[in-house]
Amino acid sequence: THGLSIIIHIPWRLFETRYVSTGPHDFPWMAALVYESSNPADAPQILCGGVILSSNVVLTAAHCLSDFSEYSLKKVRIGHALLSSEESFEVEIVDIKGHPEYKTTNTGVINDIALLKLKQSLEFNPAVKPVCLPTSKIDESILSNTNISQNQVVGWGKISQRSEDQRSDNLQMLNISYVRTDDCEEKFQKILQKTDKSATFELLESRMCAQGVPDTDACNGDSGGPLLRLDIATQIYQTIGVVSFGTKRCDSSTPGVYTRVTEFLPWIKNYMLESGLEWLLLIIDNLIY
């Protein structure tokens, strides 16, 4: 077997140049994932990101559920771009559903997507809102046309490659370009064939690629966060991808790989429907009794 040595299955960060610190409520659907240690003396850590899909469902990456042996995912923090702000608050997670076909392969993880159900229903306001989901697969000609789409990756990950640096307290945004499937496969295949001439790389329909300018990318701490598409005509954001994996250097020397959200729409919508019905039944029970 061959390994894809340049790919590493770790949380991502927005790399150290050309990122932008966002305003307090520029991305009100963003959620920081809060992990608690089995040792009560250890402070909670924010190790991944996600997006709000409904009043009680958050979307993230499946590898964010299992990559941290000493820490367990317990809550989400929402409400403000600045995590230390008094306006941000935490909500407990009561159900975690990773995709049943999530797995690690020799060319990266696949079906890297998960859903979280919150204990309490969120009240939407300018600081807390759900993000839009695409209704169907978006053609590559649209995603790669900068006159139609602007693609952005957003997160609280590290903003410097220095190992001693902590995650960013303020939400960061990076403009990033969609990479067509054929081009992405070709770039990764060239890397593989340096060690195995017969190696091939297939992106699969469930994955997509995007790439920043040199020395920029998503990396440690940004896993599970969104690849956003801003429709320039309507100024509406859609979550089209979930940050999954990329290079060790996090420098866009090769494209980053994202879970393609449109391939999982039935699974997502079914979970949202089930979670919504539970809230409706609870409200009805409270009204009756």
Side-chain angles (χ1 to χ4, degrees):
T1 60
H2 59 266
L4 190 54
S5 60
I6 198 166
I7 288 182
I8 184 169
H9 179 210
I10 58 172
W12 282 24
R13 66 173 181 267
L14 294 178
F15 206 66
E16 59 186 318
T17 57
R18 300 185 180 90
Y19 60 84
V20 176
S21 292
T22 70
H25 309 306
D26 289 348
F27 299 93
W29 46 80
M30 287 299 296
L33 274 52
V34 182
Y35 297 74
E36 295 179 0
S37 173
S38 54
N39 182 354
D42 294 336
Q45 299 288 324
I46 290 170
L47 302 173
C48 276
V51 286
I52 299 168
L53 297 183
S54 71
S55 61
N56 66 335
V57 175
V58 170
L59 173 71
T60 188
H63 79 260
C64 286
L65 310 182
S66 58
D67 268 7
F68 317 104
S69 57
E70 298 177 8
Y71 285 83
S72 299
L73 178 57
K74 296 295 184 181
K75 301 174 182 177
V76 298
R77 190 165 188 83
I78 58 176
H80 201 283
L82 190 65
L83 293 175
S84 59
S85 169
E86 293 181 356
E87 294 179 35
S88 69
F89 60 96
E90 294 182 354
V91 182
E92 186 179 342
I93 297 167
V94 292
D95 185 53
I96 297 174
K97 188 177 182 66
H99 195 276
E101 296 178 21
Y102 165 72
K103 62 180 178 180
T104 301
T105 73
N106 57 2
T107 56
V109 291
I110 59 173
N111 304 311
D112 190 13
I113 192 167
L115 296 163
L116 314 173
K117 185 166 68 175
L118 305 181
K119 185 175 183 179
Q120 65 191 65
S121 185
L122 303 174
E123 294 185 8
F124 294 145
N125 55 56
V128 178
K129 292 181 181 179
V131 71
C132 293
L133 286 169
T135 56
S136 60
K137 186 173 181 178
I138 304 170
D139 190 84
E140 289 197 319
S141 64
I142 293 174
L143 293 175
S144 57
N145 187 336
T146 56
N147 293 318
I148 299 174
S149 300
Q150 184 177 2
N151 304 307
Q152 300 171 346
V153 61
V154 187
W156 285 279
K158 286 188 175 184
I159 55 175
S160 167
Q161 69 181 116
R162 293 175 301 184
S163 60
E164 67 271 18
D165 285 352
Q166 301 299 310
R167 55 141 178 90
S168 172
D169 189 43
N170 199 91
L171 187 65
Q172 305 291 315
M173 183 276 291
L174 181 71
N175 289 319
I176 200 164
S177 299
Y178 179 81
V179 179
R180 290 175 178 267
T181 297
D182 290 347
D183 293 338
C184 188
E185 289 178 337
E186 181 181 352
K187 289 179 179 182
F188 277 114
Q189 193 153 303
K190 285 181 178 178
I191 296 169
L192 286 171
Q193 290 179 350
K194 290 179 180 179
T195 54
D196 181 353
K197 297 295 184 183
S198 62
T200 60
F201 179 83
E202 185 181 2
L203 192 59
L204 305 175
E205 287 295 315
S206 62
R207 300 190 291 193
M208 62 196 301
C209 292
Q211 193 169 20
V213 298
D215 295 329
T216 73
D217 209 344
C219 203
N220 297 32
D222 293 316
S223 281
L227 175 63
L228 298 167
R229 172 185 176 254
L230 173 63
D231 184 298
I232 293 176
T234 64
Q235 291 296 293
I236 293 174
Y237 278 99
Q238 296 175 320
T239 289
I240 60 172
V242 177
V243 178
S244 186
F245 65 88
T247 69
K248 291 181 179 180
R249 295 185 299 275
C250 306
D251 60 358
S252 285
S253 54
T254 57
V257 180
Y258 298 76
T259 304
R260 190 186 295 269
V261 169
T262 51
E263 293 300 307
F264 300 91
L265 286 176
W267 181 73
I268 293 170
K269 290 179 179 179
N270 183 63
Y271 187 83
M272 290 172 65
L273 179 62
E274 290 177 354
S275 299
L277 284 175
E278 287 183 20
W279 280 113
L280 180 60
L281 291 173
L282 180 63
I283 292 170
I284 291 172
D285 286 343
N286 289 335
L287 288 174
I288 294 175
Y289 300 107

